[in-house]
Amino acid sequence: MYERSLANPSLPKLWVFNSFFFKRLREKGYSSVKRWAKKAKPSVFAFDLILVPVHVSGNHWCCGSLSLKEKTITYYDSLGGSGQFFHSCMR
């Protein structure tokens, strides 16, 4: 998805963090992941959409998204979880 967003300017610019990002952020705080955003070139804030994979309870995957263009935080869970913990961490 990331490569497609770079190759096609009509698509939103997309950045996807790896699956360890949210776990580290939640357990150890922002200071433990602040360098991870520096991998995004030119800057993580230059992207329209940021996707964050979230591993829940060791056996379920969800996805969080940050829309910098629309200034929204969204949590997608096929089991209907509220994602309150995700919203709290990402603010």
Side-chain angles (χ1 to χ4, degrees):
M1 289 188 320
Y2 170 74
E3 285 85 10
R4 267 191 303 181
S5 74
L6 292 177
N8 188 342
S10 67
L11 294 174
K13 293 180 190 170
L14 177 69
W15 179 257
V16 182
F17 279 108
N18 71 33
S19 58
F20 299 106
F21 173 81
F22 186 75
K23 180 180 179 185
R24 176 69 66 97
L25 174 65
R26 188 173 185 191
E27 292 174 354
K28 298 187 178 184
Y30 172 73
S31 61
S32 68
V33 296
K34 66 182 179 182
R35 289 190 355 228
W36 295 27
K38 291 182 181 179
K39 293 179 182 179
K41 301 294 181 201
S43 162
V44 73
F45 299 105
F47 293 90
D48 299 320
L49 185 64
I50 299 170
L51 296 180
V52 182
V54 180
H55 198 203
V56 181
S57 302
N59 61 357
H60 177 60
W61 284 95
C62 300
C63 183
S65 72
L66 307 167
S67 174
L68 299 178
K69 193 174 187 179
E70 297 174 9
K71 296 182 172 76
T72 59
I73 299 172
T74 308
Y75 181 75
Y76 301 97
D77 185 346
S78 62
L79 298 179
S82 70
Q84 186 61 38
F85 64 94
F86 179 78
H87 288 89
S88 297
C89 286
M90 299 311 292
R91 289 191 174 168

